[in-house]
Amino acid sequence: MTDFPFQIVGFDLDGTLLDTAYDIGHALNHALAHVGRPLVPLDEARRYIGGGSAQLLHNALTVSGGLDGIDFPALQERLLAFYADNIARHTALFPGGEAMLEALAARGVHLAIATNKREDLARRLFDELGLTSRFATIIGGDTLGPGRAKPAPDMLHEMVARCGGGRAAFVGDTTFDVGAARAANLPVVAVRFGFNDLPADELGADAVIDHFDELVPTLTRIALKK
């Protein structure tokens, strides 16, 4: 099938393609416990996720007493080390994710990942879930160097280049994702089931979906409007 309007579809990872909230929440609580801070209920961890591990830890520390007296780099490394060792205990594709990826691949689409998660962690997670081979490229928040993660457009420009060019769209769940897509001049779909830092309908995406069953027809509809 070659009549699909996009040659490349990129995805954010946390809260978009994968529900990573419990594994990230356990890692966050491991770090918070180390400095005597209250633990975050796992069902609430998703509200801190979205801008990478530094943003995650900063947000949780801020609401539980601030950063005074905290060796932030050391605590972040403790969080990341625990997460790396427990990265796929609870994580899985959101409902409909596998069928959606297969549907896009059947249409000849290059699938890509652009995440603010560290690249080595993203690759480790996809390896453990058996998903790495599905993606033409995996770009992490540290792949291009400091200051180039989302919401800067650099990762999405690199995504398109690595996939050989062509018409591209992006799928995400936060202001970081929508901001990066807008800066890169790419159409963007937001998912309502993600770790939204604003209500999904207020993110400014071209469309919002409730389930991955909706993604292929939504991308087709967006292409007709552009």
Side-chain angles (χ1 to χ4, degrees), residues 7-23:
Q7 289 77 53
I8 303 162
V9 177
F11 296 88
D12 172 55
L13 192 159
D14 297 296
T16 299
L17 194 60
L18 298 176
D19 187 351
T20 55
Y22 273 28
D23 286 326

Side-chain angles (χ1 to χ4, degrees), residues 117-162:
K117 186 188 292 292
R118 235 170 49 188
E119 181 180 342
D120 65 311
L121 293 175
R123 289 185 177 277
R124 181 170 184 167
L125 178 53
F126 283 124
D127 284 347
E128 292 205 20
L129 295 176
L131 294 172
T132 302
S133 62
R134 291 182 179 269
F135 300 101
T137 188
I138 297 171
I139 302 169
D142 60 336
T143 301
L144 302 180
R148 301 183 70 185
K150 297 174 295 184
D154 304 47
M155 296 169 68
L156 302 194
H157 289 316
E158 180 71 11
M159 174 189 83
V160 173
R162 289 187 181 188

Side-chain angles (χ1 to χ4, degrees), residues 14-191:
D14 297 296
T16 299
L17 194 60
L18 298 176
D19 187 351
T20 55
Y22 273 28
D23 286 326
I24 291 176
H26 280 298
L28 174 61
N29 281 338
H30 175 77
L32 293 174
H34 182 71
V35 293
R37 294 295 178 85
L39 303 187
V40 175
L42 292 178
D43 287 335
E44 297 179 16
R46 64 187 61 237
R47 67 191 177 98
Y48 296 108
I49 303 170
S53 63
Q55 184 83 28
L56 167 77
L57 185 58
H58 184 277
N59 290 345
L61 289 171
T62 297
V63 301
S64 66
L67 277 70
D68 288 349
I70 300 293
D71 184 344
F72 190 88
L75 192 61
Q76 183 183 4
E77 283 305 310
R78 175 176 287 272
L79 184 158
L80 289 170
F82 182 93
Y83 181 61
D85 289 340
N86 301 275
I87 199 166
R89 292 183 181 270
H90 305 282
T91 293
L93 287 162
F94 279 104
E98 184 172 359
M100 174 274 296
L101 293 175
E102 290 176 353
L104 288 173
R107 288 163 170 79
V109 175
H110 294 292
L111 303 174
I113 296 294
T115 173
N116 280 355
K117 186 188 292 292
R118 235 170 49 188
E119 181 180 342
D120 65 311
L121 293 175
R123 289 185 177 277
R124 181 170 184 167
L125 178 53
F126 283 124
D127 284 347
E128 292 205 20
L129 295 176
L131 294 172
T132 302
S133 62
R134 291 182 179 269
F135 300 101
T137 188
I138 297 171
I139 302 169
D142 60 336
T143 301
L144 302 180
R148 301 183 70 185
K150 297 174 295 184
D154 304 47
M155 296 169 68
L156 302 194
H157 289 316
E158 180 71 11
M159 174 189 83
V160 173
R162 289 187 181 188
C163 290
R167 195 175 187 186
F170 196 65
V171 185
D173 67 319
T174 68
T175 55
F176 296 93
D177 302 314
V178 175
R182 290 285 176 242
N185 198 31
L186 298 183
V188 57
V189 176
V191 299

